[in-house]
PDB file of all heavy atoms in Angstrom:
ATOM      1  N   LYS E 705      83.913 -14.832   7.333  1.00  0.00           N
ATOM      2  CA  LYS E 705      82.492 -14.470   7.403  1.00  0.00           C
ATOM      3  C   LYS E 705      81.838 -14.557   6.030  1.00  0.00           C
ATOM      4  O   LYS E 705      81.064 -13.689   5.619  1.00  0.00           O
ATOM      5  CB  LYS E 705      82.296 -13.080   8.008  1.00  0.00           C
ATOM      6  CG  LYS E 705      80.947 -12.905   8.709  1.00  0.00           C
ATOM      7  CD  LYS E 705      80.867 -11.584   9.435  1.00  0.00           C
ATOM      8  CE  LYS E 705      79.515 -11.381  10.100  1.00  0.00           C
ATOM      9  NZ  LYS E 705      79.204 -12.354  11.140  1.00  0.00           N
ATOM     10  N   ALA E 706      82.178 -15.632   5.299  1.00  0.00           N
ATOM     11  CA  ALA E 706      81.433 -15.927   4.081  1.00  0.00           C
ATOM     12  C   ALA E 706      79.991 -16.249   4.466  1.00  0.00           C
ATOM     13  O   ALA E 706      79.694 -16.576   5.616  1.00  0.00           O
ATOM     14  CB  ALA E 706      82.064 -17.108   3.356  1.00  0.00           C
ATOM     15  N   PHE E 707      79.101 -16.165   3.503  1.00  0.00           N
ATOM     16  CA  PHE E 707      77.710 -16.500   3.803  1.00  0.00           C
ATOM     17  C   PHE E 707      77.646 -17.931   4.333  1.00  0.00           C
ATOM     18  O   PHE E 707      78.343 -18.814   3.825  1.00  0.00           O
ATOM     19  CB  PHE E 707      76.851 -16.358   2.548  1.00  0.00           C
ATOM     20  CG  PHE E 707      75.383 -16.396   2.847  1.00  0.00           C
ATOM     21  CD1 PHE E 707      74.747 -15.294   3.394  1.00  0.00           C
ATOM     22  CD2 PHE E 707      74.630 -17.540   2.606  1.00  0.00           C
ATOM     23  CE1 PHE E 707      73.394 -15.323   3.688  1.00  0.00           C
ATOM     24  CE2 PHE E 707      73.281 -17.581   2.905  1.00  0.00           C
ATOM     25  CZ  PHE E 707      72.663 -16.469   3.447  1.00  0.00           C
ATOM     26  N   PRO E 708      76.846 -18.191   5.371  1.00  0.00           N
ATOM     27  CA  PRO E 708      76.856 -19.515   5.996  1.00  0.00           C
ATOM     28  C   PRO E 708      76.680 -20.674   5.030  1.00  0.00           C
ATOM     29  O   PRO E 708      77.325 -21.716   5.170  1.00  0.00           O
ATOM     30  CB  PRO E 708      75.694 -19.423   6.995  1.00  0.00           C
ATOM     31  CG  PRO E 708      75.636 -17.984   7.364  1.00  0.00           C
ATOM     32  CD  PRO E 708      75.985 -17.241   6.111  1.00  0.00           C
ATOM     33  N   SER E 709      75.817 -20.524   4.022  1.00  0.00           N
ATOM     34  CA  SER E 709      75.622 -21.613   3.069  1.00  0.00           C
ATOM     35  C   SER E 709      76.923 -21.977   2.371  1.00  0.00           C
ATOM     36  O   SER E 709      77.220 -23.151   2.135  1.00  0.00           O
ATOM     37  CB  SER E 709      74.555 -21.234   2.033  1.00  0.00           C
ATOM     38  OG  SER E 709      74.242 -22.341   1.224  1.00  0.00           O
ATOM     39  N   ASP E 710      77.737 -20.960   2.044  1.00  0.00           N
ATOM     40  CA  ASP E 710      79.041 -21.233   1.432  1.00  0.00           C
ATOM     41  C   ASP E 710      79.960 -21.955   2.411  1.00  0.00           C
ATOM     42  O   ASP E 710      80.691 -22.877   2.026  1.00  0.00           O
ATOM     43  CB  ASP E 710      79.691 -19.927   0.979  1.00  0.00           C
ATOM     44  CG  ASP E 710      79.058 -19.362  -0.291  1.00  0.00           C
ATOM     45  OD1 ASP E 710      78.126 -19.998  -0.817  1.00  0.00           O
ATOM     46  OD2 ASP E 710      79.484 -18.283  -0.737  1.00  0.00           O
ATOM     47  N   GLN E 711      79.927 -21.536   3.659  1.00  0.00           N
ATOM     48  CA  GLN E 711      80.773 -22.199   4.653  1.00  0.00           C
ATOM     49  C   GLN E 711      80.402 -23.671   4.785  1.00  0.00           C
ATOM     50  O   GLN E 711      81.282 -24.539   4.827  1.00  0.00           O
ATOM     51  CB  GLN E 711      80.625 -21.489   6.008  1.00  0.00           C
ATOM     52  CG  GLN E 711      81.125 -20.055   6.020  1.00  0.00           C
ATOM     53  CD  GLN E 711      80.968 -19.410   7.387  1.00  0.00           C
ATOM     54  OE1 GLN E 711      81.419 -19.946   8.395  1.00  0.00           O
ATOM     55  NE2 GLN E 711      80.316 -18.260   7.436  1.00  0.00           N
ATOM     56  N   TYR E 712      79.104 -23.962   4.843  1.00  0.00           N
ATOM     57  CA  TYR E 712      78.668 -25.353   4.961  1.00  0.00           C
ATOM     58  C   TYR E 712      79.063 -26.152   3.714  1.00  0.00           C
ATOM     59  O   TYR E 712      79.436 -27.321   3.803  1.00  0.00           O
ATOM     60  CB  TYR E 712      77.151 -25.429   5.150  1.00  0.00           C
ATOM     61  CG  TYR E 712      76.597 -24.566   6.266  1.00  0.00           C
ATOM     62  CD1 TYR E 712      75.295 -24.079   6.217  1.00  0.00           C
ATOM     63  CD2 TYR E 712      77.375 -24.225   7.379  1.00  0.00           C
ATOM     64  CE1 TYR E 712      74.778 -23.291   7.225  1.00  0.00           C
ATOM     65  CE2 TYR E 712      76.867 -23.436   8.391  1.00  0.00           C
ATOM     66  CZ  TYR E 712      75.579 -22.962   8.310  1.00  0.00           C
ATOM     67  OH  TYR E 712      75.071 -22.169   9.303  1.00  0.00           O
ATOM     68  N   MET E 713      78.959 -25.498   2.559  1.00  0.00           N
ATOM     69  CA  MET E 713      79.333 -26.154   1.314  1.00  0.00           C
ATOM     70  C   MET E 713      80.810 -26.525   1.315  1.00  0.00           C
ATOM     71  O   MET E 713      81.197 -27.654   0.988  1.00  0.00           O
ATOM     72  CB  MET E 713      79.024 -25.241   0.131  1.00  0.00           C
ATOM     73  CG  MET E 713      79.456 -25.796  -1.220  1.00  0.00           C
ATOM     74  SD  MET E 713      79.327 -24.562  -2.512  1.00  0.00           S
ATOM     75  CE  MET E 713      80.543 -23.348  -1.978  1.00  0.00           C
ATOM     76  N   PHE E 714      81.655 -25.564   1.692  1.00  0.00           N
ATOM     77  CA  PHE E 714      83.096 -25.840   1.744  1.00  0.00           C
ATOM     78  C   PHE E 714      83.391 -27.014   2.677  1.00  0.00           C
ATOM     79  O   PHE E 714      84.146 -27.931   2.338  1.00  0.00           O
ATOM     80  CB  PHE E 714      83.865 -24.606   2.245  1.00  0.00           C
ATOM     81  CG  PHE E 714      83.822 -23.417   1.316  1.00  0.00           C
ATOM     82  CD1 PHE E 714      83.689 -22.139   1.828  1.00  0.00           C
ATOM     83  CD2 PHE E 714      83.916 -23.579  -0.054  1.00  0.00           C
ATOM     84  CE1 PHE E 714      83.647 -21.038   0.988  1.00  0.00           C
ATOM     85  CE2 PHE E 714      83.875 -22.479  -0.899  1.00  0.00           C
ATOM     86  CZ  PHE E 714      83.740 -21.199  -0.378  1.00  0.00           C
ATOM     87  N   GLN E 715      82.805 -26.961   3.869  1.00  0.00           N
ATOM     88  CA  GLN E 715      83.079 -28.008   4.854  1.00  0.00           C
ATOM     89  C   GLN E 715      82.666 -29.383   4.336  1.00  0.00           C
ATOM     90  O   GLN E 715      83.412 -30.364   4.462  1.00  0.00           O
ATOM     91  CB  GLN E 715      82.341 -27.691   6.161  1.00  0.00           C
ATOM     92  CG  GLN E 715      82.862 -26.462   6.881  1.00  0.00           C
ATOM     93  CD  GLN E 715      81.901 -25.947   7.943  1.00  0.00           C
ATOM     94  OE1 GLN E 715      80.951 -26.636   8.325  1.00  0.00           O
ATOM     95  NE2 GLN E 715      82.133 -24.728   8.415  1.00  0.00           N
ATOM     96  N   GLU E 731      90.798 -19.138   5.488  1.00  0.00           N
ATOM     97  CA  GLU E 731      90.017 -17.908   5.468  1.00  0.00           C
ATOM     98  C   GLU E 731      90.915 -16.683   5.454  1.00  0.00           C
ATOM     99  O   GLU E 731      91.915 -16.624   6.166  1.00  0.00           O
ATOM    100  CB  GLU E 731      89.102 -17.824   6.692  1.00  0.00           C
ATOM    101  CG  GLU E 731      87.974 -18.844   6.699  1.00  0.00           C
ATOM    102  CD  GLU E 731      86.998 -18.610   7.834  1.00  0.00           C
ATOM    103  OE1 GLU E 731      87.348 -17.858   8.780  1.00  0.00           O
ATOM    104  OE2 GLU E 731      85.887 -19.155   7.782  1.00  0.00           O
TER     105      GLU E 731
END
Side-chain angles (χ1 to χ4, degrees):
K705 207 173 178 63
F707 192 76
S709 188
D710 285 359
Q711 295 181 53
Y712 308 152
M713 176 190 65
F714 294 140
Q715 293 164 13
E731 292 187 344

